[in-house]
Amino acid sequence: MVGCARVVNQTPTLPIKGESYVVLPFENYTETPYAGYRVASILEGVLASKGYNLIPRVWSINERELAVEEIEKLKESAVKNGARYIVHGSVNEFRYKTGLDGEPAVSITIFVYDAKENKVVKNVTVSGSGWVHESLGTLTQKLLNRAF
C-alpha cells in the first residue's frame, strides 16, 4: 500500500489576523484550465475559516487565465479597497496522475505581500499527492490548511 506524500515549506509565521487580506487569482503554470482561480477560491475559504479578515474579491472569473499585468492591476485595486496583505502565487501542478490509480497531485507556491511595508512577509510552497478517492479540491484544501 502506497501512502500519500505531502510536503510543506514555509516561513515561520503569518502576520496578525486582524489586518485586512485579499486573495488574488494565482498564476496557472499547469495544463488544467482555471487552476489559478480554483486554488485562490479554496484559499479564500481556508483563510476565512481560520478567522482572517478578507476584503471582498476584487476579481471575478474570466473566460481566460489572467496575464501577469492584469494581476498587478488587481493588486493596486486591492490596496485601494483597503487590503494590507495581498495573497497570491502560482499553481505548478493541479491534475490527476495518469495510470490505473489516478491520484490527485497538487503543487502551489504562495506569497503574502505586505502592501504597507512593500515586501513579501511569508512564502509557502505546498505539494502533495492524494488517494485515488480524493478530489483535487480536497487535496488542495488539506494542503492549504496545513500551510495556514
Side-chain angles (χ1 to χ4, degrees), residues 13-138:
T13 58
L14 192 61
I16 44 179
K17 293 181 181 179
E19 294 287 348
S20 55
Y21 287 76
V22 68
V23 178
L24 298 182
F26 283 38
E27 294 177 54
N28 184 10
Y29 298 135
T30 75
E31 294 179 6
T32 305
Y34 306 113
Y37 289 115
R38 294 174 186 186
V39 169
S41 179
I42 293 169
L43 182 55
E44 282 178 328
V46 168
L47 292 176
S49 74
K50 293 180 180 273
Y52 289 93
N53 178 29
L54 297 176
I55 68 166
R57 276 188 184 172
V58 293
W59 56 275
S60 60
I61 294 180
N62 211 329
E63 291 184 18
R64 60 177 173 69
E65 303 290 342
L66 295 178
V68 176
E69 298 80 20
E70 292 171 304
I71 293 173
E72 289 300 319
K73 287 181 183 177
L74 288 176
K75 287 180 189 177
E76 293 171 12
S77 177
V79 172
K80 287 178 186 173
N81 285 321
R84 164 86 187 258
Y85 296 104
I86 300 168
V87 185
H88 64 99
S90 59
V91 183
N92 307 305
E93 185 174 24
F94 196 82
R95 66 184 177 96
Y96 291 97
K97 294 184 196 176
T98 57
L100 294 175
D101 294 335
E103 298 102 343
V106 174
S107 180
I108 305 164
T109 303
I110 305 164
F111 300 99
V112 179
Y113 175 79
D114 184 336
K116 185 176 179 182
E117 299 293 324
N118 198 27
K119 66 180 182 177
V120 173
V121 293
K122 183 174 181 74
N123 56 350
V124 181
T125 300
V126 294
S127 299
S129 60
W131 297 99
V132 69
H133 65 276
E134 286 183 300
S135 71
L136 285 168
T138 302

